[in-house]
């Protein structure tokens, strides 16, 4: 039967994993080597712009880095998927690339990497350059299996070689998988354990398809090194094994750590450079976002609207809250995101909060009031109910200020704290035009909420400076309040104006909804996994029309 359906988007041909390495990078630091970071961008189909899709880990003091973090993306045979890779020397904890030294970039298509299996590209100062002495980037691609299991593994070392003259070794492990080309690509590095010849590394979790692409008989190379601050780590030894061998039940898995160079020098006098033992291996099934939804987990979306004076007088067309026959940005954002989220909310009842306004009858300022102006019940039915309450509220309140987020975040967190069993998950959509005035309190509220079944979406309306929102987004640097760090990233920030440039309101709404909701499944699964919550068993409810899988929507 034909799978051609007019007016729909085709699913990607497959999902691929790209391994990134660099060689002969140019140094930027006077007294040490560079600390390289790779940033990858994709050019959306039919658009002349670059969108960031990947950041590697930072590797200190290394001009020949092999990045363990992989770039995973859908491969569409029918499209030319242009990619750009930028290399930076990281100088601080800032997530802003302008704060770091640019080392060079390379561009190619995903098809080029796949057709060649492995490509080596010169790093150029800019795209129009023809000559480079900035080093090279090496890219390898492999199609990923659909398998979603993960492996939990723990290693320990015993009687490892002493590599430091004045002390014991500082050992760490590098796990690599074999490729069809015969090369090995790094998939994981353990932490460094200082001053010991008998280390016990922490348990780590890795997707089975990343570790061996679902092939339990694929060869893995486990290499042991002595860490050095210079970046020139001393090789102790290595062994080869498959995941099947590592996970043999009831067997004390101990492997001799062999240094071939040392073995050649010492001959029969050499036995090994210590042993590496597998202390723990467990293969766990990974559940998808839709597994939980099918099992009956309820999503609840609250909406918080900014009614501060910086939006402008709502009686004038210049105001962001001006209501007319043409939807304003607040209305477009409510409709765009609400139409998708309401599919996952069984009762379609949305609590809608306002902040930053003076309320009738006495003009008191409130940072947490019900937009439907009901004294006790904040719920509005469906997206149309939300818009109706918003229109009515605009006529009754006086826009004021300041812009405080913490009260509405804490309001939703109070409800989320009651449902830590995973039966319910809460999403807070904040629509705002301005700079936050209670940043310390907001950070504290988000850090506290990161331990709860909760996500926060912030949509920036208008042309204000939203740099503080990028800090809250925390995609690269985890939020911290005092000594407490966020348990996970729960904030997604999107500037609305980024999507209005297309000129087509329908296209703008679709693109906004897709980007706003992109991180929800990952954040949702992060909470469930960290609390060891499995999906509820499927119940026989008869025929139920489920909403679309957002993970699939993100690939379209």
């Amino acid at each position: 039967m034909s799978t051609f359906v007019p007016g729909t988007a085709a699913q990607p041909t497959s999902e691929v994993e790209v391994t990134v390495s660099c060689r002969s990078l140019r140094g930027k630091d006077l007294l040490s080597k560079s600390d390289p970071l790779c940033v990858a961008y994709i050019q959306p189909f039919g658009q002349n712009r670059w969108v960031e899709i990947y950041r590697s880990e930072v590797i200190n003091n290394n001009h020949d880095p092999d990045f363990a973090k992989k770039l995973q993306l859908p491969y569409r045979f029918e499209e030319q998927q242009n990619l750009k890779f930028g290399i930076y020397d990281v100088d601080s904890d800032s997530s802003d690339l302008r704060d770091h030294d640019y080392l060079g970039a390379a561009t190619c298509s995903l098809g080029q990497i796949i057709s060649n299996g492995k490509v080596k590209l010169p790093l150029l100062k800019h795209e129009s350059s023809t000559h480079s002495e900035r080093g090279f980037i090496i890219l390898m691609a492999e199609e990923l299996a659909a398998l979603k299991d993960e492996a939990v593994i723990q290693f320990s070392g015993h009687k490892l070689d002493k590599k430091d003259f004045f002390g014991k070794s500082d050992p760490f492990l590098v796990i690599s998988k074999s490729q069809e080309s015969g090369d090995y690509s790094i998939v994981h590095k353990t932490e460094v354990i200082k001053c010991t010849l008998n280390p016990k590394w922490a348990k780590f979790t890795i997707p089975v398809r990343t570790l061996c692409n679902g092939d339990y008989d694929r060869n893995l190379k486990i290499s042991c090194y002595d860490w050095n601050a210079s970046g020139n780590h001393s090789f102790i030894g290595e062994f080869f094994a498959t995941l099947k061998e590592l996970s043999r039940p009831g067997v004390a898995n101990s492997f001799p750590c062999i240094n071939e160079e040392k073995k050649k020098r010492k001959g029969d006098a050499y036995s090994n450079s210590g042993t590496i033992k597998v202390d723990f291996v467990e293969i766990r099934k990974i559940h998808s976002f839709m597994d939980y939804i099918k099992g009956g987990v309820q999503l609840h979306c609250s909406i918080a609207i900014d009614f501060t004076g910086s939006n402008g007088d709502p009686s004038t067309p210049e105001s962001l809250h001006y209501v007319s026959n043409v939807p304003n940005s607040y209305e477009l954002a409510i409709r765009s995101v609400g139409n998708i989220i309401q599919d996952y909310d069984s009762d379609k009842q949305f609590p809608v909060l306002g902040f930053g306004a003076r309320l009738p009858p006495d003009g008191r300022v409130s940072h947490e009031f019900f937009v439907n102006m009901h004294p006790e019940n904040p719920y509005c039915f469906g997206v149309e109910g939300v818009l109706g309450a918003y229109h009515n509220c605009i006529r009754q309140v006086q826009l004021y200020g300041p812009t405080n987020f913490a009260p509405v975040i804490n309001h939703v967190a109070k409800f989320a704290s009651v449902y830590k069993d995973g039966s319910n998950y809460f999403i807070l959509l904040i629509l705002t035009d301005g700079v936050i005035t209670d940043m310390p309190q907001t950070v504290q509220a988000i850090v506290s909420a990161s331990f709860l079944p909760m996500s926060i979406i912030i949509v920036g309306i208008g042309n204000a400076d939203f740099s503080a929102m990028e800090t809250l987004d925390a995609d690269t640097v985890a939020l911290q309040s005092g000594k407490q760090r966020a348990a996970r990233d729960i904030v997604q920030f999107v500037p609305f104006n980024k999507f209005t440039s297309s000129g087509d309101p329908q296209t703008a709404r679709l693109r906004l909804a897709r980007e706003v909701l992109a991180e929800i499944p990952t954040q949702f699964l992060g909470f469930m996994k960290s609390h060891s919550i499995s999906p509820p068993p499927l119940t026989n409810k008869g025929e139920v029309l489920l909403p679309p899988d957002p993970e699939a929507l993100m690939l379209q």
Side-chain angles (χ1 to χ4, degrees), residues 37 44 64 70 86 140 245-246 257 296 342 399 409 492 495 519:
L37 162 78
D64 301 300
K70 310 294 184 180
M140 290 189 291
E245 291 171 333
L246 294 178
C257 197
Q342 73 175 358
L399 305 194
I409 294 173
Q492 168 77 336
E519 294 186 12

Side-chain angles (χ1 to χ4, degrees), residues 505-544:
Q506 177 66 16
T507 301
R509 286 200 299 269
L510 292 174
R511 289 178 55 212
L512 171 69
R514 185 165 68 173
E515 181 149 342
V516 160
L517 299 172
E519 294 186 12
I520 294 297
T522 301
Q523 294 173 3
F524 176 99
L525 292 171
F527 175 82
M528 298 299 180
K529 182 178 176 181
S530 64
H531 289 76
S532 300
I533 299 173
S534 297
L538 293 175
T539 56
N540 186 11
K541 303 176 183 177
E543 185 174 329
V544 178

